[in-house]
Amino acid sequence: MAASGSDNAGAPDGAPAHPSTAAAPDRRRPPRPPLPGGRFARDGSLAGQIAKIGLLGLFTALGVWAVLPLYLGGNWLGIGLVVAVVGLVYYVYLSKRAVPAKYLVPGVLFLMVFQIFPVLYTMSTSVTNMSDGHRGSKEQAISAVESLSVTRTADSQEYVLTIAAIGDPETGELVFLLTDREGGTHVGDTDGLSELGGATVEDSGKVTDAFGYTILTPAEVNARSGELEEFAVPTGSGAGIRSSGLSTAYEGRALRVYDESCDCVTDTETGVVYTADDERGAFYDDEGGRLPQGWQVNVGADNFARFLFDPAFASSFFSILLWNVVFAVAVTGLVFVVGLAVALTLHVPRMRGKVFYRVLVVLPYAMSSLAMYLLWRDMFNTDFGVINQILGVRIDWFGSVWGARVAVILANVWLGYPYMFLVATGALQAIPRELGQAAQIDGATPWQAFRHVTLPLLMVAMTPILVATFAFNFNNFNAVWLLTRGGPLFSDNSTAGATDLLITYTYRLAFNEATAQYGYAAALSVMIFLIVSVISVMSLWRGKALKEMD
């Protein structure tokens, strides 16, 4: 028989009932132990419940927003992942048993999305040949080869064409929204042609609205005219649909036809046969010529070996790596020295107007770094730059190797030392002045007191800051790109400049307008990650040793 509520009145929450009135224990289900934080998991206030419902609704809307493009792209694995994450969040925030998880889930999700996933994706890309012409599967490459060689025939079917994109009109995937002679609507992309339902079509056959697609304006179509010229919709059996102007499209026959029996592509106009090479991911003829459309293949460690052992790339890589280390060490060291010197100067107790001086020192840190880099670029101008005018010289700072390197270091020291000044000022405030005074009473000079007493204590607090500053400067893309764009370039190498850091070199490889090489760029990014990680771990280990000495 269960005890009534009055029988246990006055007992604290969770306390067992009086033995004489407590119900007999259920032998089939042992009582659960209290969960950590369980007392906080009650119904809560009305405002809290409304806020929770609102946040769950917002999260559900984000999940639906993420599922739509995945559904259009046929990415069922991604849809399953989104549904699983949404289900996990609902379980955690609607259950009273998962109280600690309520605080851990948001951080874990952000960690996976913004930290772990980009690293894993970069690593997976680094072992592929992903680049211009090697972005999709072999089937997509075959479809592209056939569809891009499509020519009009006498019986070609014509469509009314509407050009659209999936998502953003500037960067989203291009699609053709097509209306045939019978009024049927279709959507065509690089995977093929499919029916389009629920579209709004005007009398001329142009589609004005379709769920999931963004209709491009004439200006947006003109901006993507280069992509449009290379775009075609494969329709199978050596046929495809291409645009003819901005309002019509036609379905024609392909001049280059794939033959599965020989795994090759035959050009019916020239008779040249291109055989598939699954190790390099492209079709090659007998003379070594290849079709521009290829596919992704796994190349293992070839991308890494290219930078380390290929003489053409190894010389650029190691020279850039050496300058990268020099740049990061020089900027970090000078920023530390200047910032600490200013902090020590303003740490003198009897100095007047310290607040005014500190405001002046912090001013560069309060400025926009983007604007300041552009300003420094003009200050180093050969003809009208203020630095040449002050020095009374005519130095082409950005035209010479060492002039450009000195300019980049000076600009970064000017922008970075106020931050180090603020950190050093705070650390000095935490060190008792009596320690230095006691050392001087024992006979130490002011320099010896600073060197052997103040500085070791200061380094305990500043070592993690210096490690972070070094890692930041090692990948300081803006500092180089906005000032010199990595230049001046060497006469015998158009891909590497005198002030290039590894990160700007990576950017040039990945987003070069002529040949984007994502696999090489990803391999270089992985090497940067490893270098910075090793240096950071060693520096932090050194900082831990200083702390133990303290």
Side-chain angles (χ1 to χ4, degrees):
M1 179 178 176
S4 65
S6 59
D7 293 338
N8 207 30
D13 293 340
H18 192 277
S20 62
T21 58
D26 188 349
R27 298 182 182 279
R28 293 171 300 178
R29 296 183 60 186
R32 293 175 176 174
L35 294 172
R39 62 192 180 91
F40 297 111
R42 295 189 172 173
D43 294 339
S45 64
L46 178 62
Q49 293 295 320
I50 293 175
K52 184 168 72 174
I53 293 172
L55 290 174
L56 286 175
L58 176 62
F59 189 78
T60 305
L62 290 174
V64 174
W65 173 77
V67 161
L68 285 178
L70 294 173
Y71 172 75
L72 294 176
N75 190 341
W76 302 110
L77 179 62
I79 293 174
L81 183 62
V82 172
V83 172
V85 171
V86 173
L88 174 66
V89 170
Y90 266 85
Y91 169 75
V92 168
Y93 286 95
L94 293 181
S95 169
K96 293 184 178 181
R97 290 185 52 79
V99 176
K102 289 180 170 64
Y103 302 94
L104 294 176
V105 165
V108 171
L109 289 179
F110 280 113
L111 179 69
M112 294 181 66
V113 171
F114 295 108
Q115 297 289 340
I116 296 177
F117 176 75
V119 172
L120 294 179
Y121 184 72
T122 302
M123 288 182 173
S124 64
T125 305
S126 68
V127 294
T128 69
N129 65 338
M130 186 177 180
S131 61
D132 280 349
H134 295 272
R135 299 194 183 194
S137 63
K138 185 176 182 179
E139 289 72 21
Q140 291 174 322
I142 294 171
S143 297
V145 168
E146 292 183 335
S147 59
L148 290 176
S149 65
V150 164
T151 57
R152 187 191 294 268
T153 59
D155 57 346
S156 291
Q157 181 178 354
E158 291 198 349
Y159 298 87
V160 177
L161 171 64
T162 303
I163 302 172
I166 299 176
D168 189 88
E170 297 181 356
T171 59
E173 180 185 353
L174 280 178
V175 294
F176 281 175
L177 305 182
L178 304 163
T179 305
D180 58 28
R181 293 173 181 171
E182 290 75 26
T185 53
H186 314 269
V187 55
D189 54 22
T190 54
D191 292 330
L193 193 67
S194 58
E195 297 293 328
L196 175 65
T200 303
V201 185
E202 60 183 18
D203 294 340
S204 63
K206 297 282 285 185
V207 176
T208 57
D209 185 42
F211 178 72
Y213 301 101
T214 305
I215 308 298
L216 302 188
T217 64
E220 291 167 344
V221 172
N222 185 56
R224 305 187 66 173
S225 58
E227 297 177 62
L228 194 59
E229 292 178 0
E230 301 292 331
F231 186 80
V233 179
T235 54
S237 303
I241 298 175
R242 301 201 65 175
S243 64
S244 175
L246 301 182
S247 299
T248 59
Y250 64 89
E251 182 176 10
R253 304 298 304 175
L255 292 178
R256 291 173 173 169
V257 182
Y258 175 72
D259 186 350
E260 188 175 0
S261 61
C262 63
D263 198 13
C264 62
V265 172
T266 302
D267 191 317
T268 57
E269 192 172 43
T270 63
V272 178
V273 177
Y274 298 88
T275 305
D277 185 337
D278 289 324
E279 292 186 357
R280 292 185 285 180
F283 290 98
Y284 289 86
D285 61 17
D286 294 337
E287 299 179 354
R290 55 155 291 184
L291 295 175
Q293 299 81 20
W295 60 94
Q296 281 189 50
V297 294
N298 193 322
V299 297
D302 287 355
N303 292 333
F304 297 92
R306 181 186 183 190
F307 288 110
L308 299 177
F309 304 114
D310 186 334
F313 285 87
S315 60
S316 299
F317 172 74
F318 285 111
S319 63
I320 291 174
L321 176 61
L322 178 61
W323 156 245
N324 205 147
V325 174
V326 170
F327 169 81
V329 171
V331 172
T332 304
L334 289 174
V335 160
F336 172 70
V337 171
V338 175
L340 179 59
V342 177
L344 288 171
T345 303
L346 298 182
H347 192 59
V348 177
R350 56 181 178 276
M351 175 175 283
R352 296 182 178 179
K354 286 192 288 187
V355 174
F356 174 73
Y357 293 131
R358 284 172 177 167
V359 170
L360 289 181
V361 170
V362 175
L363 274 181
Y365 189 58
M367 301 290 186
S368 165
S369 61
L370 174 66
M372 290 302 101
Y373 282 127
L374 298 178
L375 179 64
W376 274 92
R377 188 182 63 183
D378 290 341
M379 289 170 62
F380 281 110
N381 186 278
T382 305
D383 298 320
F384 54 83
V386 67
I387 293 179
N388 274 356
Q389 292 181 8
I390 291 175
L391 298 177
V393 296
R394 189 177 175 80
I395 300 175
D396 184 8
W397 291 93
F398 297 139
S400 62
V401 172
W402 286 106
R405 289 174 174 174
V406 170
V408 170
I409 291 175
L410 284 178
N412 278 279
V413 171
W414 185 83
L415 279 168
Y417 87 89
Y419 172 69
M420 202 60 67
F421 159 76
L422 291 174
V423 175
T425 299
L428 285 172
Q429 298 288 343
I431 299 175
R433 294 178 183 273
E434 291 77 8
L435 294 177
Q437 294 170 354
Q440 293 185 37
I441 291 173
D442 289 341
T445 64
W447 167 249
Q448 290 174 327
F450 170 76
R451 170 68 181 82
H452 298 288
V453 177
T454 305
L455 187 59
L457 295 174
L458 197 65
M459 293 306 296
V460 172
M462 297 197 68
T463 296
I465 303 297
L466 291 175
V467 172
T469 304
F470 175 85
F472 173 79
N473 284 303
F474 199 88
N475 291 298
N476 198 340
F477 179 86
N478 289 343
V480 171
W481 201 254
L482 294 177
L483 285 172
T484 65
R485 299 183 72 84
L489 297 177
F490 297 109
S491 58
D492 57 344
N493 191 345
S494 61
T495 61
T499 56
D500 256 329
L501 304 180
L502 289 176
I503 190 66
T504 57
Y505 184 50
T506 303
Y507 178 81
R508 188 175 287 115
L509 285 177
F511 302 105
N512 188 295
E513 294 182 357
T515 54
Q517 305 179 74
Y518 303 111
Y520 292 130
L524 198 52
S525 298
V526 172
M527 287 194 282
I528 294 174
F529 172 75
L530 294 177
I531 292 170
V532 174
S533 299
V534 170
I535 294 176
S536 299
V537 170
M538 293 176 62
S539 301
L540 290 174
W541 178 80
R542 176 61 179 165
K544 183 180 179 181
L546 287 173
K547 190 173 182 179
E548 290 175 352
M549 290 173 60
D550 178 53

